[in-house]
């Protein structure tokens, strides 16, 4: 039985030009080789499966190539390249930091660095998953990384850049790898399918690329799985949908058509079909949000390039975006996002989705009602827009007949000369404005309400209760302020109390104005004169306490205690 090699290994890039979707990285590395400006340490960062380790190996192989090409690519035929492809070059060392993350492992690496290469001019150390090194290992690696021998180059790779200590980052030349675009990934899969003699639908390859979420290694794994499942050396779109457990675009187009036509029964039936197929409701809502977002994108030619779908699907988006207005899409998007946010906390998530669909179905009616368009005309117009050509003609005839009937009725009754009665229902925004005006008028009427010392005392006690745990509040309200000219509160503070009050003055004034319903209250602060207070003697303290607590004198006499005067 022939050993099977997965596509991720079989078609791993061997040159800079064959790396997919990372031209900004490969161009920089080739120019560094061309200008002899290689740094002593590189750090490759980015998501999984985007080519970090691959680029590290290509760079290491190119550095040690004996016959480098004019395009600054490894020749692949010299002694160094051949050794690297078979058993690994003697000048290139790979270390997996996930399993070799101790101080001793790094010390062994530092000891190896001291010896120059036996063949070639450079020794390259590739440390994968470098963020897994312990802090002690990082510290042991610092000096060697900053000032390695002239023949040593370090290439570090990681998926979690934030876990690497800043002292390591400052010693490396950092390259950030990006997620691979769907189109680049689909074209790469198409080339592999041709080499493997697999008949693959381009839509299916795009679906694989979208499912991979920017990681080419994940895409190649899915590609192998689907090609194995088909058995007949073919990958069909429908097969990819079923195996990848992805909701088809068609579901969302059908749901949106039903919502635009205000057909709640059809929308709920489609949702039921989706849930019976084993899809999670939250996934459906997330897909619906993306669908509404893509419809908004299609409404402007400038943003059309943001849509990462096939031409066939893009055409469907264009057609449906013409039927849906921007107000409808924005409102539907808002309702869908709210549904997604409340999904996890809902005890009946299915009903939450159904309620969201019902609300969206009535958006057009609400929008047109706000514009003053009669509901019946809106419903008939939507019916004309969403039915087939034959049904459109019939609906238009029905619409014309209704209009003719209504006009004839108006002619018959025209002799009565009655003025039609128009019922105007205020909008929610108008109601909010009117309520706000009433509240403002009420506040204005109460803005100069008189208050007394007892009201002020209650207001201060209320403020102290709000800040019970703050020591500064208790310090500044040891005495009540004086009321001057009905609206001025005069406080007398020493220097420390004044500093404490300045921190809470604005907040206190706002709270006391609201509590006393008087916006004209002002605060005036008087500085207390410094008075030299003579300290109490021990006898005076004893006399004061014994008067307050007679039991104290009895205890003193029974125990025969004397005062320390």
């Amino acid at each position: 039985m022939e050993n099977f090699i997965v596509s991720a290994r079989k078609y791993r890039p061997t040159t800079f030009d064959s790396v997919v979707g990372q031209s900004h990285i490969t161009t920089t590395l080739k120019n560094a080789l061309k200008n002899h400006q290689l740094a002593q340490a590189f750090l490759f960062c980015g998501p999984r499966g985007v080519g970090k380790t691959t680029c590290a190996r290509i760079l290491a192989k190119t550095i040690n190539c004996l016959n480098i090409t004019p395009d600054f690519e490894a020749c692949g035929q010299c002694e160094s390249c051949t050794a690297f492809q078979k058993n690994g070059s003697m000048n290139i060392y790979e270390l997996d930091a996930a399993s070799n993350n101790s101080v001793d492992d790094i010390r062994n690496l530092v000891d190896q660095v001291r010896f120059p290469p036996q063949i070639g001019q450079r020794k390259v150390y590739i440390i994968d998953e470098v963020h897994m090194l312990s802090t002690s290992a990082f510290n042991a690696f610092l000096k060697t990384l900053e000032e390695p021998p002239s023949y040593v180059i370090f290439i570090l790779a990681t998926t979690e850049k934030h876990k690497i200590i800043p002292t390591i980052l400052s010693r490396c030349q950092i390259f950030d790898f990006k997620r691979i675009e769907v189109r680049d990934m689909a074209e790469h899969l198409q080339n592999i399918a041709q080499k493997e003699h697999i008949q693959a639908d381009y839509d299916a390859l795009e679906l694989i690329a979208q499912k991979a979420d920017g990681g080419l290694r994940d895409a190649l794994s899915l590609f192998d799985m689907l090609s194995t499942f088909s058995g007949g050396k073919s990958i069909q779109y429908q097969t990819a949908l079923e195996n990848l457990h992805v909701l088809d675009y068609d579901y969302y187009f059908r749901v949106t058509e039903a919502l635009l036509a205000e057909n709640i029964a059809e929308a709920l039936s489609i949702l039921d079909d989706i849930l019976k197929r084993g899809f999670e409701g939250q996934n459906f809502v997330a897909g619906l949000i993306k669908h509404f977002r893509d419809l908004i994108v299609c409404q402007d030619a400038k943003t059309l390039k943001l849509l990462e779908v096939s031409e066939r699907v893009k055409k469907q988006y264009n057609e449906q975006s013409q039927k849906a207005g921007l107000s409808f899409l924005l409102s539907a998007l808002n309702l869908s996002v709210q549904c997604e946010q409340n999904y996890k906390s809902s005890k009946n998530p299915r009903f939450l989705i159904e309620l969201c669909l019902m609300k969206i179905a009535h958006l057009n009616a609400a929008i047109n009602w706000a514009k003053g368009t009669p509901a019946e005309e809106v419903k008939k117009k939507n019916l004309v827009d969403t039915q087939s050509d034959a049904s459109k003609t019939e609906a238009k005839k029905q619409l014309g007949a209704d209009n003719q009937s209504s006009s004839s009725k108006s002619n018959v009754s025209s002799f009565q000369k009655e003025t039609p009665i128009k019922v105007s229902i205020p909008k929610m925004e108008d109601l909010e404005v009117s309520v706000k005006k009433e509240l403002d008028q009420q506040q204005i009427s109460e803005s100069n309400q008189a208050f007394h010392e007892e009201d002020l005392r209650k207001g201060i006690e209320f403020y102290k209760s709000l800040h019970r745990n703050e020591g500064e509040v208790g310090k500044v309200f040891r005495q009540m302020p004086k009321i001057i000219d009905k609206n001025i509160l005069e406080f007398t503070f020493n220097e420390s109390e004044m500093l404490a009050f300045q921190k809470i003055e604005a907040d206190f004034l706002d709270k006391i104005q609201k509590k006393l319903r008087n916006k004209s209250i002002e605060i005036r602060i008087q500085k207390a004169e410094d008075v030299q207070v003579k300290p109490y003697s021990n006898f005076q303290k004893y006399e004061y306490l014994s008067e307050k607590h007679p039991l104290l004198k009895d205890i003193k006499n029974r125990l025969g205690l004397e005062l320390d005067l």
Side-chain angles (χ1 to χ4, degrees):
M1 183 177 178
E2 184 180 355
N3 290 330
F4 173 72
I5 301 176
V6 296
S7 298
R9 291 180 56 197
K10 186 176 182 180
Y11 294 100
R12 181 189 287 271
T14 56
T15 62
F16 287 122
D17 290 338
S18 59
V19 176
V20 181
Q22 307 294 347
S23 58
H24 64 293
I25 303 289
T26 56
T27 302
T28 305
L29 294 177
K30 288 174 71 173
N31 288 334
L33 289 166
K34 178 181 178 181
N35 299 324
H36 303 287
Q37 293 181 351
L38 286 173
Q40 83 272 5
F42 297 89
L43 178 61
F44 291 170
C45 313
R48 68 181 190 278
V50 295
K52 300 183 297 297
T53 306
T54 297
C55 283
R57 291 177 180 176
I58 294 173
L59 178 60
K61 184 175 69 170
T62 307
I63 289 172
N64 283 282
C65 181
L66 302 177
N67 298 315
I68 192 169
T69 65
D71 293 336
F72 291 91
E73 297 275 10
C75 67
Q77 299 176 355
C78 65
E79 182 181 355
S80 177
C81 292
T82 306
F84 177 80
Q85 292 170 3
K86 289 183 178 179
N87 301 316
S89 173
M90 295 294 294
N91 294 339
I92 300 174
Y93 302 88
E94 288 195 37
L95 179 69
D96 180 20
S99 54
N100 301 278
N101 52 15
S102 65
V103 180
D104 293 336
D105 295 319
I106 295 300
R107 285 175 179 168
N108 292 335
L109 185 146
V110 171
D111 290 339
Q112 294 178 16
V113 167
R114 298 174 183 174
F115 301 100
Q118 300 299 316
I119 301 174
Q121 299 179 351
R122 301 273 186 164
K123 291 178 72 174
V124 183
Y125 291 86
I126 301 173
I127 305 178
D128 207 358
E129 303 297 336
V130 70
H131 65 274
M132 298 293 287
L133 290 179
S134 63
T135 304
S136 301
F138 272 131
N139 292 330
F141 191 36
L142 282 175
K143 188 63 178 176
T144 305
L145 186 67
E146 183 178 10
E147 296 179 358
S150 58
Y151 50 81
V152 173
I153 291 179
F154 292 102
I155 305 176
L156 316 180
T158 179
T159 55
E160 301 185 44
K161 176 182 172 182
H162 60 279
K163 291 186 177 180
I164 300 177
I165 60 176
T167 48
I168 291 290
L169 294 175
S170 64
R171 287 164 168 80
C172 297
Q173 198 172 87
I174 301 173
F175 290 85
D176 290 308
F177 285 68
K178 64 180 182 180
R179 294 182 183 275
I180 302 173
E181 295 182 2
V182 172
R183 182 174 300 176
D184 293 338
M185 207 181 301
E187 291 175 355
H188 184 65
L189 293 176
Q190 193 173 38
N191 292 333
I192 294 176
Q194 291 175 356
K195 293 177 182 178
E196 294 291 329
H197 305 289
I198 297 174
Q199 298 294 327
D201 292 344
Y202 188 77
D203 290 345
L205 299 180
E206 278 199 335
L207 189 65
I208 294 173
Q210 291 171 4
K211 185 74 173 178
D213 192 26
L216 186 56
R217 183 168 60 237
D218 293 346
L220 290 170
S221 299
L222 295 174
F223 176 83
D224 288 343
M225 182 187 71
L226 291 175
S227 61
T228 305
F229 174 82
S230 62
K233 289 287 185 178
S234 65
I235 299 177
Q236 303 298 326
Y237 180 71
Q238 195 61 36
T239 305
L241 279 175
E242 294 174 359
N243 281 270
L244 298 181
H245 201 62
V246 176
L247 272 171
D248 190 12
Y249 294 108
D250 184 57
Y251 280 110
Y252 295 110
F253 284 118
R254 287 167 52 201
V255 168
T256 307
E257 289 288 345
L259 296 175
L260 287 171
E262 300 183 20
N263 192 343
I264 297 176
E266 178 66 17
L268 297 183
S269 298
I270 296 172
L271 173 63
D272 182 65
D273 184 30
I274 290 171
L275 297 179
K276 284 181 178 178
R277 289 177 177 267
F279 292 98
E280 289 290 336
Q282 191 171 11
N283 293 339
F284 167 74
V285 177
L288 192 64
I289 292 172
K290 183 179 182 301
H291 184 75
F292 288 141
R293 174 260 183 193
D294 291 343
L295 287 174
I296 294 174
V297 165
C298 283
Q299 295 202 333
D300 195 333
K302 294 180 181 178
T303 56
L304 193 60
K305 61 183 179 181
L306 300 178
L307 203 62
E308 294 184 346
V309 294
S310 63
E311 292 300 325
R312 177 185 63 83
V313 179
K314 189 178 293 186
K315 184 179 178 181
Q316 287 182 275
Y317 271 111
N318 277 324
E319 291 175 356
Q320 194 168 75
S321 65
Q322 301 303 319
K323 301 176 184 178
L326 184 60
S327 300
F328 171 84
L329 293 175
L330 289 174
S331 302
L333 192 61
N334 186 31
L335 289 172
S336 303
V337 170
Q338 290 179 5
C339 179
E340 185 184 40
Q341 291 173 347
N342 299 329
Y343 186 87
K344 288 185 178 179
S345 60
S346 175
K347 294 183 179 179
N348 192 347
R350 173 167 181 163
F351 174 72
L352 185 68
I353 300 174
E354 291 174 341
L355 182 61
C356 175
L357 293 178
M358 293 176 193
K359 289 180 179 179
I360 295 173
H362 284 88
L363 281 176
N364 268 335
I367 293 169
N368 286 282
W369 172 77
K371 293 178 180 178
T373 308
E376 290 299 323
E377 290 186 15
V378 174
K379 191 170 183 180
K380 290 174 183 176
K381 185 178 181 301
N382 289 336
L383 184 64
V384 171
D385 290 340
T386 54
Q387 285 179 338
S388 61
D389 294 338
S391 301
K392 283 182 181 180
T393 306
E394 187 64 26
K396 286 179 180 178
K397 288 180 180 178
Q398 182 66 27
L399 182 61
D402 291 344
N403 290 336
Q404 186 176 1
S405 174
S406 61
S407 62
S408 61
K409 288 180 181 179
S410 62
N411 291 332
V412 171
S413 60
S414 60
F415 69 92
Q416 297 178 0
K417 302 297 182 179
E418 292 183 356
T419 304
I421 300 173
K422 294 183 179 180
V423 179
S424 177
I425 301 176
K427 298 180 183 178
M428 185 62 69
E429 293 82 356
D430 298 335
L431 291 174
E432 290 178 358
V433 171
S434 62
V435 171
K436 187 177 180 181
K437 285 183 178 179
E438 289 184 12
L439 291 175
D440 292 341
Q441 291 294 332
Q442 185 178 358
Q443 288 180 358
I444 291 171
S445 64
E446 298 175 351
S447 60
N448 295 320
Q449 184 171 333
F451 61 92
H452 304 285
E453 290 187 1
E454 182 64 21
D455 299 326
L456 178 60
R457 187 187 64 78
K458 291 180 179 179
I460 291 177
E461 290 297 327
F462 171 74
Y463 184 78
K464 289 169 66 176
S465 67
L466 296 178
H467 304 272
R468 194 180 303 277
N469 298 326
E470 299 180 18
E472 293 179 349
V473 175
K475 182 190 295 185
V476 299
F477 292 119
R478 292 175 181 171
Q479 58 180 353
M480 289 288 294
K482 297 179 182 179
I483 302 176
I484 302 175
D485 294 337
K486 297 183 179 180
N487 295 325
I488 299 176
L489 306 182
E490 185 178 86
F491 290 88
T492 302
F493 294 136
N494 58 31
E495 188 171 352
S496 63
E497 291 173 341
M498 190 180 299
L499 292 175
F501 183 73
Q502 287 175 353
K503 297 179 182 179
I504 64 170
E505 181 177 358
D507 181 60
F508 170 72
L509 181 60
D510 179 65
K511 295 287 193 306
I512 204 69
Q513 285 177 346
K514 291 179 180 178
K515 184 67 177 175
L516 301 180
R517 297 182 179 178
N518 193 323
K519 292 293 184 181
S520 58
I521 293 177
E522 298 179 5
I523 291 178
R524 182 187 298 173
I525 300 175
Q526 294 290 337
K527 186 175 181 180
E529 296 181 0
D530 296 331
V531 180
Q532 297 294 333
V533 180
K534 187 177 180 180
Y536 291 106
S537 65
N538 290 340
F539 180 76
Q540 290 173 326
K541 295 176 183 177
Y542 169 73
E543 288 293 328
Y544 173 77
L545 292 173
S546 60
E547 289 179 3
K548 204 168 186 179
H549 306 285
L551 187 61
L552 181 63
K553 185 178 288 187
D554 185 40
I555 293 174
K556 172 181 173 297
N557 295 332
R558 285 187 180 187
L559 298 178
L561 300 176
E562 297 290 339
L563 289 175
D564 186 9
L565 302 176

